[in-house]
Amino acid sequence: MIRRTLAVGYGALAYAAFLAAIMYTIGFLANTLVPKGVDDGVTGPAWLAVAVDAGLLGVFAVQHSVMARPWFKRWWTRFVPAAVERSTFVLLSSLAVGLLLWQWRPLTADVWSVEAVWLRVLLWTVCGLGWGVLVLSTFLIGHFDLFGLRQVLARARDADYAEPGFRQPLLYRVVRHPIMVGFIIAFWATPDMTVGHLLFAGAATGYILIAVRFEEHDLRKSLGEPYERYARQVPRFIPRTRAVPEQVEA
Ligand SMILES: C[S@@+](CC[C@H](N)C(=O)[O-])C[C@H]1O[C@@H](n2cnc3c(N)ncnc32)[C@H](O)[C@@H]1O
């Protein structure tokens, strides 16, 4: 009983950490409503800021990609109960984001700064749409599974947990990685782009381009031909303007 309560509490804590990390990131990149935005913090030599920021992004990238691999999950569920494996991943990812935002060093030179009000409004709207696409997409493939809550609730009820499995709802019929498309849009759509923000957007986009290849490798391995067919029909990031005819089996 105590273990179950602890598991639910831990899952709730991890989910709260995720919510705090994503909401702070939104304010951080918009330089608004948070104490420290992407253009705030300790100033110093540019080379040092680039080195520190790249290191912080690297910590997140390694943590996030290594801990998401099936071989890693198989190994560490020998020590961590399976029911809280996802919550632990979510908690550590949120802490890595927290470290990144806390220790981020600004590079405040302007890359672009839009004056026209209509264009500023348009860019903020696109940015908001990016975050919206991201959140919606998490619900399309199982928001509460993705962030570990269903796993701990199943444990609390002593029920078996079944993963929601591979799905192709709505946006997943348009592109294979709508969550990542949402991130990319939100990272780049800003009326005021500084060198620091550009570094963040460029490095994070580069990471996404690599990370989805690892994810697809795992999906190909676990799903086989159905994923190959999906990949032939649905592009990674940029929607097709014309449908691809399904190949006739020989
Ligand atoms: C952070 S989500 C990102 C999903 C996807 N790359 C995206 O950008 O929307 C990563 C998890 O989603 C799972 N996933 C990816 N595509 C999926 C789909 N179409 N249906 C269900 N799960 C999916 C992966 O197996 C992985 O565990």
Side-chain angles (χ1 to χ4, degrees):
M1 182 62 195
I2 291 174
R3 276 169 161 253
R4 287 183 212 165
T5 312
L6 277 178
V8 173
Y10 182 69
L13 173 76
Y15 187 69
F18 150 73
L19 284 181
I22 192 87
M23 283 178 354
Y24 199 106
T25 303
I26 293 171
F28 177 81
L29 289 177
N31 273 306
T32 187
L33 298 176
V34 293
K36 181 178 182 289
V38 67
D39 297 325
D40 303 319
V42 180
T43 48
W47 66 265
L48 187 58
V50 172
V52 170
D53 295 347
L56 292 165
L57 285 159
V59 167
F60 172 81
V62 170
Q63 175 275 327
H64 207 72
S65 281
V66 170
M67 289 188 76
R69 300 285 67 80
W71 59 264
F72 186 87
K73 290 185 198 173
R74 272 195 300 277
W75 173 73
W76 81 312
T77 44
R78 286 171 22 200
F79 317 105
V80 175
V84 296
E85 182 271 324
R86 190 71 193 177
S87 292
T88 308
F89 171 76
V90 169
L91 183 59
L92 292 178
S93 301
S94 305
L95 290 176
V97 170
L99 179 69
L100 167 65
L101 305 182
W102 173 41
Q103 287 300 319
W104 180 263
R105 299 207 173 193
L107 289 155
T108 53
D110 276 344
V111 179
W112 70 71
S113 188
V114 170
E115 299 260 316
V117 174
W118 70 268
L119 194 49
R120 293 186 71 80
V121 171
L122 180 67
L123 284 165
W124 283 131
T125 307
V126 173
C127 179
L129 279 174
W131 291 117
V133 164
L134 184 164
V135 173
L136 169 66
S137 305
T138 65
F139 282 95
L140 291 175
I141 57 169
H143 180 87
F144 296 107
D145 302 84
L146 218 47
F147 297 104
L149 280 179
R150 275 199 58 227
Q151 292 85 329
V152 292
L153 289 174
R155 173 78 183 86
R157 289 196 307 269
D158 240 345
D160 286 338
Y161 170 73
E163 283 185 17
F166 189 73
R167 303 175 190 187
Q168 300 168 32
L170 206 66
L171 296 177
Y172 284 84
R173 277 182 229 149
V174 183
V175 288
R176 301 207 290 280
H177 302 287
I179 294 178
M180 300 305 144
V181 169
F183 270 124
I184 292 171
I185 293 171
F187 291 162
W188 287 92
T190 174
D192 303 302
M193 179 65 90
T194 57
V195 172
H197 189 152
L198 186 72
L199 174 68
F200 184 104
T205 303
Y207 167 64
I208 287 172
L209 297 182
I210 296 167
V212 297
R213 300 205 174 236
F214 285 112
E215 182 186 306
E216 291 193 352
H217 171 82
D218 294 342
L219 286 166
R220 282 198 161 87
K221 228 172 149 186
S222 63
L223 298 171
E225 177 51 25
Y227 192 81
E228 296 294 348
R229 204 176 322 123
Y230 177 59
R232 284 196 296 273
Q233 289 288 318
V234 179
R236 271 202 186 101
F237 299 112
I238 301 172
R240 270 198 244 280
T241 43
R242 273 184 298 167
V244 176
E246 181 57 274
Q247 285 180 356
V248 180
E249 303 288 331

